Amino acid sequence: MMAKSLFNAAEEVKVGRAKKNLLWFGIISLTMSFAGLTSAYVVSKERPDWISNFEIPPAFYVSLVLILLSSLTIHLGKKAVQKGRDSQGMILFIATFLLGVSFVVFQFVGFSEIIDSGYYFTGPTSNITTSFIYLVVLLHVAHVFGGLISLAVVIYNHYKQNYQNGKTLGIELAATFWHFIDAVWIYLFMFLYFVK
């Protein structure tokens, strides 16, 4: 019986390590995708129709604050669950989810602000500058949706009390991915702010 329980524990460790490695492989692949897109952005700056005086819409600043706060809340939620403060963890996970949804909303508000400034993303009145911004930001929003799905799974599993006795792998994976999403938006925001 003791040997079987040791085998199960060793198997859990191996599965956990494999899942973490897969997540990091995905994160590295996604990082390379964003690096490639921003490199194409830099190369395209040499075009004569490039908008060099483009300003980041105010809603993107709000998005930056929201995603930073969400990174803090998921970190605190993970720590709360690891210390056995389950109700506090649940509140922080729900707060993270709501901040993530708010982030997405403000991304689309930002798109509206860009259009209101007279810059379009597609069509005959579009510009390569805004098309790149649209593509990169929408790609990031797609990953935020993936993060929101993982958060919903964490909230559900936490409600079902599946994160007991130190078994918090699901939370750790979701938190790592969410921090990655946060880091990507900081990178994109700084990139769009400084590279004109």
Side-chain angles (χ1 to χ4, degrees), residues 1-15:
M1 188 70 169
M2 179 111 165
K4 187 177 180 182
S5 108
L6 285 173
F7 175 77
N8 287 342
E11 196 64 27
E12 275 185 44
V13 169
K14 280 172 59 178
V15 168

Side-chain angles (χ1 to χ4, degrees), residues 35-78:
L37 283 170
T38 51
S39 296
Y41 183 95
V42 170
V43 170
S44 296
K45 280 178 40 177
E46 302 305 318
R47 292 173 51 121
D49 60 343
W50 192 260
I51 303 171
S52 58
N53 62 345
F54 179 81
E55 296 294 327
I56 294 177
F60 283 9
Y61 289 90
V62 176
S63 292
L64 179 64
V65 172
L66 291 170
I67 200 113
L68 286 171
L69 286 173
S70 72
S71 209
L72 177 65
T73 55
I74 197 166
H75 174 74
L76 294 174
K78 180 180 82 168

